[in-house]
């Protein structure tokens, strides 16, 4: 199985859900730039203060800020054996930057029809403490409103509100979707059908990584 992997897909395709599962299975960290940025926003760090407005609106945080956090994270010891990148790269410039300091072995593209995405996103709830992801319909917590792992009150991401969702889908189509061709030309891309039960999607992702 490959160990340096990028997950691509539109907002709500299931990148975070699948990357977290596969990371546990193969013992490499799940690195989500969205999670890192949200933690910085919550901690009111200088990075978080700069990123907050872009994220709430559904736009991309400037490349130089994200590159810095990615470099720092990939330099940590647990990423030496590999990583599952979720949310990076997001445009061609980021893909070029990444290629300068790490050799990606495989890119998994989670594919799903756009009409599924809005309901997945508007029904998502997350744990602010451990980042576990739920869905009010498809993956509800055992106790309503509470995280199964640590009991924290679940919250809705500010960018999971209708206006920001529309912007995020547009940004994906314009800036991130061109990466599919970029990685296809480099023979790294595997497409995975992301519709269906999470366990079924995980089985398809495993095959794409074999
Ligand atoms: P980020 O956190 O990366 O958000 P995203 O790409 O929009 O992706 P999502 O987290 O919304 O969706 P997902 O595909 O992970 O789906 P999930 O598994 O949660 O980025 C957020 C923001 O940070 C960006 O907009 C930007 O501002 C900034 N940012 C981050 N990285 C950046 C970068 N590199 N450069 C610049 N800016 C950056 O699932 C969604 C829902 O569906 C959940 O409720 C889940 O339970 C449910 N679900 C999942 N799988 C299934 C299934 N098979 N069936 C039914 N329901 C399912």
């Amino acid at each position: 199985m490959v160990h340096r992997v990028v997950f691509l897909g539109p907002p709500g395709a299931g990148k975070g859900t699948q990357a977290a599962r596969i990371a546990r299975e193969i013992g490499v960290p799940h690195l989500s730039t969205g999670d890192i940025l949200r933690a910085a926003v919550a901690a009111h760090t200088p990075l978080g203060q700069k990123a907050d407005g872009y994220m709430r609106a559904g736009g991309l945080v400037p490349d130089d800020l994200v590159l810095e956090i990615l470099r720092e994270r990939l330099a940590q010891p647990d990423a030496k054996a590999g990583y599952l990148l979720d949310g990076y790269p997001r445009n061609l410039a980021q893909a070029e930057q990444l290629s300068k300091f790490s050799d990606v072995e495989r890119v998994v593209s989670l594919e799903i029809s756009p009409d599924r995405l809005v309901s997945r996103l508007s029904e998502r709830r997350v744990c602010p403490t451990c980042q576990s992801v739920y869905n009010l319909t498809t993956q509800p917590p055992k106790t309503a409103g509470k995280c199964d792992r640590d009991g924290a009150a679940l919250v809705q991401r500010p960018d999971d509100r209708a206006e920001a969702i529309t912007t995020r889908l547009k940004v994906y189509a314009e800036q991130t979707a061109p990466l599919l061709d970029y990685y296809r030309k480099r023979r790294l891309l595997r497409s995975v059908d992301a519709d269906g039960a999470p366990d079924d999607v995980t089985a398809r992702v495993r095959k794409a990584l074999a």
Side-chain angles (χ1 to χ4, degrees), residues 126-204:
V126 294
C127 174
T129 314
C130 72
Q131 320 303 333
S132 294
V133 174
Y134 298 88
N135 186 283
L136 296 179
T137 307
T138 59
Q139 290 171 278
K142 290 185 184 119
T143 306
K146 304 269 186 214
C147 178
D148 293 349
R149 291 200 179 154
D150 57 27
L154 301 179
V155 297
Q156 186 174 35
R157 278 173 38 176
D159 62 348
D160 277 346
R161 296 172 206 280
E163 273 176 35
I165 290 176
T166 305
T167 304
R168 287 161 64 203
L169 293 172
K170 190 162 175 277
V171 167
Y172 175 81
E174 291 173 357
Q175 300 198 42
T176 311
L179 291 176
L180 298 174
D181 257 357
Y182 176 92
Y183 284 119
R184 192 176 290 118
K185 282 184 186 141
R186 285 158 180 76
R187 299 179 183 281
L188 296 175
L189 191 74
R190 299 284 188 283
S191 298
V192 168
D193 178 4
D195 202 359
D199 286 349
D200 294 339
V201 179
T202 304
R204 293 176 206 141

Side-chain angles (χ1 to χ4, degrees), residues 12 15-17 33 38 59 87 90 94 124 134 138-139 168 196:
K15 303 180 295 295
T17 300
T33 44
R38 278 184 288 279
R90 242 10 202 237
Q94 293 186 5
R124 173 167 53 192
Y134 298 88
T138 59
Q139 290 171 278
R168 287 161 64 203

Side-chain angles (χ1 to χ4, degrees), residues 17-35:
T17 300
Q18 295 301 327
R21 289 167 168 229
I22 298 287
R24 280 194 291 272
E25 285 182 20
I26 67 176
V28 298
H30 164 205
L31 306 186
S32 157
T33 44
D35 283 350

